[in-house]
């Protein structure tokens, strides 16, 4: 009897299991009708929550600043010919033997950004964006395209001015970079990697950055707003949409943004632009010296009681400094009454002097100070090879 009930229970369990499997997979076998999903039509709307339209931007939005500046930021497309000049490539037999294609000029293209600063068509950008370019084309934010001509370049600050012939140009408003402080919110506008005009946000991380060995004259604004390939020459703006810098370089080990970008202050860019438009180049003072910073080690070895100033390491023969009596080993302390802290500051002070003018320079020689009258010369123009 006990065996009978055990067999009966197992049979019922198996039957119920089979019933559930068939009901779930093939209900039609049992005479039922499979449920069908009914399409959702106009008569059956889905209930969702919709925010009311905003008449004003929300707090913390920078759409107005971006909207004011973006039309004045342009894409710059450049190209140059790559000429194949190896003598063997000009030998027809050599080309035939190696199945070489006929000689022709191949072209290399690059991408950058620029900022329209004048309704007359003047555009600020980086020198490295347009260096050695055979052709320059500017693409405006509204889609218009125009060829551009180089007005002038300044490799020592990595700035350049180009010009296009077009009407109804949007112009950016110049801001006050000297008022910028660490922690201020800034926006970077450009065309990274050719994806199209892009705005990124960050803060000012530092001001007055130098000794980066990027340019000869450095006074960078550092920001963590993303700056990538193609952003060079673009705008760094404040929260009012005013231009405070020209995006120039990044620090990166991968080629992409890691939050350390550098922009040339608009004060520097404006002075360079005005000089280029006026005379075609930037004219700077020069006295013909080589210098190095005073380090604690040098101060100890020379027995100096100070660690500011610049040691004159070399003097150009028959140059302005040489004619004024400056000698190697002298320490330059002041230029026109302005104290020299290091070689970068010394270089900037001398560059501001007008060629042909006489400047008073205070030097220390063997722990004795003296003042020299130096007739300032014209700084030779630097030649920077494009990368």
């Amino acid at each position: 009897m006990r065996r009978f009930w055990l067999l009966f229970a197992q049979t019922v369990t198996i039957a119920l299991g089979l019933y559930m499997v068939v009901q779930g997979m093939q209900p039609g076998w049992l005479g039922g009708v499979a449920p069908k999903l009914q399409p959702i039509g106009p008569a059956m709307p889905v209930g969702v929550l919709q925010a009311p339209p905003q008449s004003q931007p929300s707090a913390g939005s920078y759409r107005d600043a971006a909207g004011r500046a973006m039309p004045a930021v342009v894409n710059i497309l450049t190209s140059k010919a790559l000429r194949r000049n190896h003598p063997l490539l000009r030998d027809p037999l050599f080309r035939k033997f190696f199945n070489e294609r006929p000689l022709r000029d191949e072209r290399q293209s690059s991408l950058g950004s620029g900022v329209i600063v004048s309704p007359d068509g003047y555009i600020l950008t980086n020198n490295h964006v347009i260096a050695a370019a055979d052709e320059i084309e500017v693409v405006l934010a509204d889609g218009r395209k125009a060829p551009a001509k180089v007005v002038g370049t300044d490799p020592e600050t990595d700035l350049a001015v180009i010009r296009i012939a077009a009407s109804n140009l949007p112009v950016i408003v110049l801001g006050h970079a000297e008022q910028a402080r660490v922690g201020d919110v800034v926006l970077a506008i450009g065309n990274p990697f050719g994806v199209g005009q892009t705005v990124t946000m960050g803060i000012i991380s530092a001001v007055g950055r130098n000794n980066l060995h990027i340019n000869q004259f450095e006074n960078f604004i550092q920001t963590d707003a993303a700056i990538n390939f193609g952003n060079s020459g673009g705008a760094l703006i404040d929260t009012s949409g005013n231009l405070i810098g020209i995006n120039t370089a990044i620090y990166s080990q991968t080629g992409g943004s890691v939050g350390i970008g550098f922009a040339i202050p608009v004060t520097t860019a404006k002075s360079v632009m005005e000089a280029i438009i006026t005379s075609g180049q930037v004219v700077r003072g020069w006295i013909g010296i080589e210098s190095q910073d005073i380090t604690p080690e040098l101060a100890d070895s020379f027995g100096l009681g100070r660690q500011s100033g610049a040691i004159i390491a070399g003097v150009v023969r028959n140059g302005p400094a040489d004619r004024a009596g400056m000698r190697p080993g002298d320490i330059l302390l002041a230029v026109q009454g302005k104290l020299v802290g290091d070689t970068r500051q010394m270089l900037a002070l001398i560059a501001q002097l007008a060629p042909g003018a006489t400047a008073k320079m205070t030097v220390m020689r063997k722990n004795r100070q003296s003042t020299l009258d130096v007739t300032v010369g014209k700084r030779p123009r630097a030649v920077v090879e494009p990368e």
Side-chain angles (χ1 to χ4, degrees):
M1 189 67 177
R2 184 176 181 180
R3 183 180 298 177
F4 173 78
W5 281 109
L6 180 60
L7 181 62
F8 176 75
Q10 290 177 343
T11 303
V12 171
T13 301
I14 293 173
L16 288 174
L18 291 174
Y19 176 81
M20 295 300 293
V21 171
V22 173
Q23 179 68 24
M25 300 182 64
Q26 295 291 340
W29 290 1
L30 302 177
V33 179
K36 295 183 178 180
L37 294 177
Q38 298 296 323
I40 298 176
M44 299 177 63
V46 177
V48 296
L49 298 178
Q50 179 69 53
Q54 295 181 348
S55 58
Q56 298 293 331
S58 60
S61 173
Y62 303 105
R63 68 170 72 168
D64 290 340
R68 282 190 285 269
M70 288 175 67
V73 180
V74 300
N75 299 338
I76 297 178
L77 308 175
T78 64
S79 62
K80 62 181 178 181
L82 297 177
R83 296 176 175 83
R84 303 159 72 186
N85 293 323
H86 196 283
L88 286 178
L89 295 178
R90 302 185 182 279
D91 187 339
L93 182 61
F94 180 88
R95 297 202 307 273
K96 181 178 179 181
F97 183 78
F98 286 98
N99 195 26
E100 184 70 16
R101 293 174 296 176
L103 281 176
R104 68 178 186 274
D105 285 350
E106 297 179 350
R107 304 198 68 80
Q108 182 183 56
S109 300
S110 61
L111 176 72
S113 302
V115 185
I116 304 174
V117 293
S118 166
D120 295 326
Y122 290 106
I123 297 173
L124 264 173
T125 186
N126 285 134
N127 176 65
H128 74 261
V129 170
I130 55 92
D134 297 325
E135 297 178 359
I136 304 174
E137 184 179 51
V138 171
V139 182
L140 277 68
D142 60 11
R144 287 183 292 168
K145 298 181 179 180
K149 294 184 177 180
V150 177
V151 179
T153 63
D154 184 38
E156 294 190 308
T157 57
D158 194 18
L159 287 168
V161 178
I162 61 177
R163 190 178 186 183
I164 60 175
S167 58
N168 300 320
L169 292 176
V171 178
I172 203 163
V173 178
L174 304 188
H176 298 276
E178 69 280 2
Q179 297 178 1
R181 296 293 182 269
V182 174
D184 289 352
V185 174
V186 289
L187 307 177
I189 308 175
N191 184 12
F193 301 108
V195 300
Q197 194 174 69
T198 303
V199 181
T200 56
M201 186 191 76
I203 63 170
I204 293 178
S205 306
V207 294
R209 282 287 193 228
N210 54 31
N211 290 321
L212 302 177
H213 306 292
I214 299 174
N215 301 333
Q216 187 65 49
F217 296 95
E218 298 180 335
N219 180 29
F220 290 113
I221 299 172
Q222 181 181 330
T223 178
D224 67 347
I227 298 174
N228 289 293
F229 176 78
N231 273 109
S232 290
L236 187 71
I237 65 172
D238 59 22
T239 54
S240 297
N242 302 324
L243 181 71
I244 63 170
I246 300 295
N247 299 323
T248 298
I250 62 173
Y251 175 83
S252 175
Q253 296 177 328
T254 62
S257 174
V258 295
I260 304 177
F262 303 99
I264 300 171
V266 69
T267 47
T268 301
K270 181 182 177 182
S271 63
V272 169
M273 176 188 68
E274 291 174 345
I276 287 175
I277 293 175
T278 301
S279 60
Q281 61 179 331
V282 181
V283 178
R284 296 185 174 94
W286 175 79
I287 63 173
I289 60 173
E290 294 180 0
S291 62
Q292 63 183 104
D293 290 333
I294 297 178
T295 63
E297 294 77 16
L298 287 175
D300 290 340
S301 62
F302 281 93
L304 303 176
R306 60 191 303 136
Q307 295 184 8
S308 62
I311 296 178
I312 307 303
V315 179
V316 177
R317 182 176 298 179
N318 294 323
D322 184 34
R323 292 193 296 267
M326 201 173 293
R327 298 292 179 261
D330 290 351
I331 300 175
L332 185 57
L333 303 178
V335 176
Q336 288 289 75
K338 297 180 180 179
L339 297 179
V340 173
D342 53 26
T343 56
R344 289 281 176 179
Q345 189 175 8
M346 178 207 71
L347 188 63
L349 290 173
I350 294 174
Q352 294 172 6
L353 302 174
T358 300
K360 294 186 179 297
M361 302 191 183
T362 304
V363 299
M364 176 181 287
R365 181 181 302 167
K366 296 180 180 180
N367 292 325
R368 295 185 59 183
Q369 291 190 20
S370 61
T371 300
L372 303 177
D373 291 328
V374 183
T375 301
V376 181
K378 180 181 177 181
R379 182 178 176 84
R381 182 169 174 80
V383 178
V384 177
E385 295 293 338
E387 297 180 356

